[in-house]
Amino acid sequence: MSGTIAEPRSAPAPGTSAPRRTARAGGPRAVRSAATFVKYVLLIGVAAVFVGPLYWLFTTAVKTPDEIYSFPPVWWPRDPSWDNFALAWNAAPFDRFFLNSAVTTVAGTALKILNAVLTAYAFSFLAFPRKQWLFLVLLGAMMVPGHVVLLPNFLTVAGLGWVNTYAGLILPGIGSVFATFLLRQHMMTIPRELIEAAKVDGAGHLRILFGIVLPVSRPILLTVVIITVVEEWNNFIWPLIVTNSDHMRTLPIGLMMLKNQEGLANWGTIMAGAVMVLAPMLLIFLIAQRHIVGGLTQGAVKG
């Protein structure tokens, strides 16, 4: 047969091509390993920044005074003591503070969510003049710092005789632009066919709202409820302004009173009081954190 047969290529000399291919193959793997290591180091650092103060708070609350002021620091109490909690509870009327915070949180959250749901439904499904302009005005209210309206609200509450009352604590804060915005953004993603079908069946607006819209909006509604509960529970400035007796004070103010009473001499008692204020909201957040993250991402791109 005619034609030439190609000669086989000579094998690469030892220590040349093969090692270079190995180096190229191992290079990206080494880079990925280094990047993963750096990510874990950064995550550990961020976790330490956020978890470290909480750890120190809870451990200090069960330490003895000698352990609190010892150097080097005692990272874990040798004999945890719960006496600080009893001292904090008796140093201030925390039972009354808990009651006031519970009432204002439950009532304030219920009224705020009801107001936000009705407003969001109106902006989503009702047709009325200048609706878009009114919604822009509503968004503009988010840019106004809350401290700007403290004086007008107080003058209004004082004129109505609501100083040092639950009405004065709760009613001025039942409007939430943030909650209305989140709910409206989600409601805009609900298929209009559902609403039209309900109207054909003769359903009114309240039936559509409570029978169709709210069940579909359950994740974002739960998120808004949790955010509002934490906001109401931790509210400090307005209860401090609108109340003038220990009988109507709330927990954040009670914690400030505890700190002023104990000074810098008994940090264990102060930390125990802080744990009592923090524990309910921390428990709620740990239970519902996945609902918060999931709810905030729903309806975020449509407006």
Side-chain angles (χ1 to χ4, degrees):
M1 296 176 62
S2 61
T4 59
I5 300 176
E7 296 182 357
R9 295 181 181 179
S10 58
T16 56
S17 299
R20 282 198 296 270
R21 286 197 298 269
T22 303
R24 285 195 298 269
R29 189 180 300 112
V31 172
R32 286 194 298 269
S33 299
T36 302
F37 176 77
V38 172
K39 290 179 183 178
Y40 278 111
V41 170
L42 292 176
L43 288 174
I44 293 173
V46 172
V49 170
F50 287 96
V51 179
L54 289 177
Y55 172 81
W56 196 253
L57 169 67
F58 283 100
T59 56
T60 304
V62 295
K63 288 179 182 178
T64 62
D66 293 338
E67 292 175 331
I68 293 174
Y69 296 104
S70 65
F71 187 84
V74 177
W75 295 101
W76 183 257
R78 290 182 289 271
D79 186 17
S81 174
W82 303 97
D83 294 339
N84 291 326
F85 290 91
L87 292 173
W89 186 269
N90 295 324
F94 268 92
D95 53 348
R96 186 67 193 183
F97 296 156
F98 265 103
L99 176 63
N100 293 335
S101 289
V103 171
T104 56
T105 299
V106 173
T109 299
L111 293 174
K112 187 175 290 188
I113 294 301
L114 179 61
N115 188 12
V117 165
L118 295 175
T119 306
Y121 179 87
F123 276 111
S124 300
F125 302 111
L126 299 185
F128 52 89
R130 302 290 188 271
K131 182 172 73 171
Q132 297 300 327
W133 286 102
L134 289 176
F135 185 69
L136 290 176
V137 173
L138 189 71
L139 292 181
M142 295 179 64
M143 312 300 173
V144 179
H147 296 80
V148 173
V149 298
L150 286 177
L151 181 58
N153 283 343
F154 179 78
L155 294 176
T156 302
V157 168
L160 294 172
W162 288 352
V163 174
N164 217 43
T165 63
Y166 285 126
L169 280 168
I170 296 169
L171 293 181
I174 63 173
S176 175
V177 179
F178 181 68
T180 302
F181 173 75
L182 285 182
L183 290 171
R184 184 259 183 188
Q185 293 301 100
H186 174 74
M187 290 180 185
M188 293 294 292
T189 65
I190 298 176
R192 289 302 187 268
E193 291 78 7
L194 292 176
I195 309 301
E196 296 300 328
K199 290 181 179 179
V200 171
D201 291 338
H205 288 299
L206 289 179
R207 183 178 174 185
I208 294 174
L209 174 61
F210 291 101
I212 297 176
V213 175
L214 289 186
V216 174
S217 307
R218 188 174 301 170
I220 187 65
L221 184 63
L222 180 59
T223 300
V224 173
V225 168
I226 294 171
I227 293 175
T228 305
V229 166
V230 174
E231 180 184 2
E232 292 291 326
W233 184 267
N234 294 330
N235 194 8
F236 175 79
I237 295 297
W238 179 247
L240 179 64
I241 293 175
V242 80
T243 59
N244 52 29
S245 68
D246 295 347
H247 185 72
M248 292 302 299
R249 299 292 195 187
T250 56
L251 277 173
I253 304 174
L255 185 61
M256 181 193 69
M257 295 170 56
L258 179 64
K259 188 262 180 184
N260 292 337
Q261 178 176 329
E262 298 296 329
L264 302 178
N266 196 350
W267 279 109
T269 304
I270 298 174
M271 293 298 182
V275 169
M276 291 190 291
V277 176
L278 173 65
M281 295 301 104
L282 185 61
L283 181 61
I284 291 176
F285 177 78
L286 292 176
I287 294 174
Q289 58 177 330
R290 63 185 183 91
H291 298 288
I292 296 176
V293 176
L296 288 175
T297 58
Q298 289 195 3
V301 296
K302 186 168 183 176

